[in-house]
């Protein structure tokens, strides 16, 4: 079943009390998840919200705004281990069959790695610990913005305390899918996704899921746009984790083609790799490929940059490149947040036509689309914009306008809050769709 989000300010009943929402995350805030930060802060401005994290504090590269908000989160982590284990033991002693049934349902799955098993085991134990706490504090709904560990905790809380949960599923959550994803989407009060392509994928996997599309909110404050000067070597920009879905190896090969065609350019590739914090494992191979192709003078790697520093980087470039690909195991991005940020600062985009990217990169309107894994087509599209600065500037202006429209924090923040208000109201009236 699908539902369209209502307009801001309108609810199912018009007079229902505001629901108390507990947001459950691994960390909060996290510099790699500025869109989650914007969602949560938008909810906090509209609803009574508590933020609970299953891990401890990690403010690496966070903006000052994120750091200011961090003090409000209620954290578990290793320091809470005695309390968490105590809660688990109490449930095991008082309701052994129930504990074992829930443990089997939430933990005993065919996880793809020990790391994923560990995350879900910890999340299950945290859910056991939090269930009576959230019930006693009058929480009406939990929100788990990721479908893995955070939703394991939320689903455990639902099973123990009857508190419904909303989860968000997007992009690479859907393939390769975790073995419990279908159950989590089926049991959720609502599934939010941030693009229409992923909504179709969710319904193909779990037709009974109640799905709503609410786009992400702009994460950066846009005070001025890139001039898209293109009056010297073209200043190309790409950004993201060094992961297989980003297609940065294809971008390196496209850069070699541009060099061989004597196109003046310089690429700044912002980001990095590393298994920690989900940054991907291709950092070494991307640098190696750059050296192998002899591109050292044409490509710079500033590494990971703080959220506060990224606007200046965006304004200093002419064209944003997003050469995303579908990995052999089916993993792919939905709409990369860096792509949204680049468009919001008026950069024309060259991107591959993967998954939901065509929803915002509209060919010959906000940029140019090319087939994935086609380095020559990527180079051709970049050359088209470099050779026509007026066209590039027009695409950039259109991109900024579309970003303001689709990713408005005010509009989308209200839509997300209304999702919880309507769900709470319909449950109060026993009118929620099954």
């Amino acid at each position: 079943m699908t539902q369209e989000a209502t307009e801001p300010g309108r609810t199912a009943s018009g007079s229902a009390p505001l629901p108390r929402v507990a947001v459950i995350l691994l960390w909060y805030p996290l510099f790699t998840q500025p869109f989650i930060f914007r969602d949560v802060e938008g909810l906090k401005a509209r609803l009574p919200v508590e933020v609970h994290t299953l891990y401890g504090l990690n403010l690496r590269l966070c903006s000052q705004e994120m750091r200011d908000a961090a003090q409000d989160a209620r954290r578990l982590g290793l320091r809470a281990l005695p309390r968490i284990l105590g809660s688990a033991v109490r449930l095991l002693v008082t309701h052994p069959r129930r504990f074992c049934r829930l443990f089997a349902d939430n933990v005993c799955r065919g996880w793809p790695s020990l790391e994923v098993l560990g995350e879900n085991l910890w999340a299950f134990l945290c859910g056991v610990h939090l269930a009576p706490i959230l019930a006693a504090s009058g929480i009406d709904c939990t929100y788990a913005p990721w479908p893995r560990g955070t939703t394991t905790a939320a689903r455990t809380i639902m099973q123990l305390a009857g508190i419904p949960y909303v989860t968000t599923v997007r992009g690479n959550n859907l393939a390769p899918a975790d073995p419990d994803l279908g159950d989590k989407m089926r049991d959720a009060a609502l599934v939010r996704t941030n693009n229409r392509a992923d909504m179709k994928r969710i319904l193909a996997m779990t037709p009974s899921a109640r799905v709503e599309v609410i786009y992400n909110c702009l994460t950066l404050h846009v005070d001025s746009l890139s001039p898209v000067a293109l009056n010297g070597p073209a200043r190309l920009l790409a950004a993201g984790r060094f992961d297989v879905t980003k297609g940065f190896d294809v971008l390196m090969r496209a850069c070699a083609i541009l060099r061989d065609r004597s196109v003046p350019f310089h690429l700044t590739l912002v980001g990095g790799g590393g298994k920690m914090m989900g940054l991907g494992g291709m950092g070494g191979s991307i640098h190696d490929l750059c050296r192998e192709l002899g591109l050292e003078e044409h490509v710079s790697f500033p590494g990971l940059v703080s959220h506060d520093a990224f606007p200046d980087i965006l304004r200093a470039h002419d064209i944003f490149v997003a050469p995303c690909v579908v990995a052999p195991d089916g993993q792919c991005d939905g709409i990369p947040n860096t792509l949204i940020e680049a468009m919001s600062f008026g950069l024309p985009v060259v991107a591959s036509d993967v998954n939901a990217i065509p929803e915002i990169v509209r060919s010959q309107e906000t940029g140019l689309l090319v087939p994935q894994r086609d380095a020559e087509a990527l180079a051709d599209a970049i050359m088209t914009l470099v050779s026509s600065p007026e066209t590039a500037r027009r695409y950039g202006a259109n991109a900024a306008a579309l970003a303001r429209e689709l990713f408005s924090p005010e509009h989308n923040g209200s839509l997300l809050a209304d999702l919880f208000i309507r769900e709470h109201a319909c449950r109060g009236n026993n009118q929620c769709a099954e």
Side-chain angles (χ1 to χ4, degrees):
M1 173 181 179
T2 63
Q3 294 185 325
E4 293 295 329
T6 60
E7 288 302 308
R10 298 178 62 186
T11 70
S13 68
S15 59
L18 294 177
R20 292 177 56 83
V21 178
V23 179
I24 300 176
L25 287 158
L26 298 182
W27 293 278
Y28 188 79
L30 195 63
F31 82 97
T32 57
Q33 299 172 4
F35 50 99
I36 300 293
F37 174 77
R38 195 61 63 206
D39 278 353
V40 173
E41 293 306 302
L43 284 176
K44 287 165 65 176
R46 295 168 172 86
L47 299 175
V49 170
E50 300 176 359
V51 178
H52 294 262
T53 73
L54 309 188
Y55 297 167
L57 185 65
N58 186 341
L59 295 179
R60 179 190 182 198
L61 295 177
C62 282
S63 67
Q64 188 58 51
E65 183 185 15
M66 290 178 173
R67 291 173 178 271
D68 292 342
Q71 59 187 341
D72 295 331
R74 306 179 187 193
R75 305 182 195 284
L76 292 175
L78 288 178
R79 66 180 183 179
L81 180 60
R83 289 180 286 134
I84 291 170
L85 291 180
S87 297
V89 170
R90 279 193 297 273
L91 182 61
L92 177 60
V93 170
T94 57
H95 298 91
R97 290 185 178 179
R98 190 178 194 189
F99 179 92
C100 292
R101 184 177 68 251
L102 293 178
F103 183 86
D105 187 27
N106 289 284
V107 180
C108 298
R109 303 278 188 148
W111 303 112
S113 68
L114 289 176
E115 178 185 0
V116 177
L117 167 62
E119 178 181 326
N120 282 278
L121 172 60
W122 179 252
F124 167 72
L125 295 173
C126 290
V128 170
H129 176 67
L130 288 172
I133 295 173
L134 299 188
S137 65
I139 292 297
D140 297 300
C141 185
T142 62
Y143 178 40
W146 296 100
R148 184 167 280 174
T150 58
T151 302
T152 295
R155 185 167 179 255
T156 301
I157 292 166
M158 182 270 293
Q159 292 167 327
L160 285 170
I163 300 173
Y165 67 90
V166 173
T167 186
T168 293
V169 179
R170 60 177 78 75
N172 57 22
N173 305 141
L174 292 163
D178 281 344
D180 63 345
L181 181 58
D183 291 340
K184 286 174 172 175
M185 294 194 296
R186 181 201 65 218
D187 293 345
L190 284 168
V191 177
R192 179 264 182 111
T193 191
N194 58 9
N195 63 80
R196 300 195 176 279
D198 284 338
M199 179 187 72
K200 295 177 181 177
R201 298 170 70 200
I202 289 169
L203 290 171
M205 179 182 297
T206 309
S208 63
R210 298 176 62 208
V211 187
E212 296 215 23
V213 176
I214 300 176
Y215 285 105
N216 286 344
C217 297
L218 290 177
T219 58
L220 298 174
H221 300 292
V222 182
D223 51 5
S224 62
L225 303 182
S226 166
V228 190
L230 286 171
N231 54 8
R235 300 170 301 173
L236 310 181
L237 176 66
R241 64 189 186 277
F242 284 10
D243 185 74
V244 63
T245 62
K246 296 302 182 181
F248 291 149
D249 54 333
V250 181
L251 178 56
M252 288 295 107
R253 299 188 187 283
C255 286
I257 294 172
L258 293 175
R259 179 204 56 201
D260 294 345
R261 293 178 180 177
S262 300
V263 177
F265 77 95
H266 186 86
L267 169 68
T268 304
L269 182 47
V270 174
K275 294 297 184 181
M276 289 297 293
M277 318 246 298
L279 294 176
M282 293 189 66
S285 62
I286 296 300
H287 285 83
D288 289 345
L289 182 58
C290 179
R291 288 190 292 270
E292 177 187 326
L293 295 173
L295 292 169
E296 294 95 328
E297 295 182 2
H298 295 274
V299 181
S300 59
F301 295 93
L304 299 171
V305 301
S306 73
H307 205 58
D308 286 339
F310 200 43
D312 288 339
I313 293 174
L314 289 167
R315 283 189 290 261
H317 288 83
D318 301 313
I319 298 168
F320 189 81
V321 189
C324 301
V325 301
V326 179
D329 61 3
Q331 184 180 2
C332 65
D333 283 331
I335 300 176
N337 199 65
T338 54
L339 175 56
I340 297 170
E341 292 169 337
M343 290 177 61
S344 73
F345 277 80
L347 286 176
V349 176
V350 175
S352 49
D353 55 356
V354 168
N355 201 28
I357 289 176
E359 292 181 29
I360 65 168
V361 181
R362 300 174 181 176
S363 200
Q364 300 185 48
E365 180 182 342
T366 61
L368 297 174
L369 288 171
V370 300
Q372 64 167 318
R373 301 185 187 281
D374 190 334
E376 187 168 356
L378 191 64
D380 288 343
I382 293 170
M383 287 183 64
T384 296
L385 295 184
V386 170
S387 64
S388 181
E390 286 303 318
T391 299
R393 283 190 279 272
R394 184 175 76 251
Y395 290 170
N398 292 341
L402 184 63
R404 287 193 299 269
E405 175 188 346
L406 289 185
F407 306 105
S408 162
E410 294 75 20
H411 183 77
N412 294 351
S414 292
L415 291 180
L416 186 59
D418 280 353
L419 182 151
F420 290 95
I421 293 170
R422 288 186 289 107
E423 179 61 21
H424 182 56
C426 78
R427 285 187 178 273
N429 296 328
N430 295 315
Q431 294 177 348
C432 290
E434 295 297 330

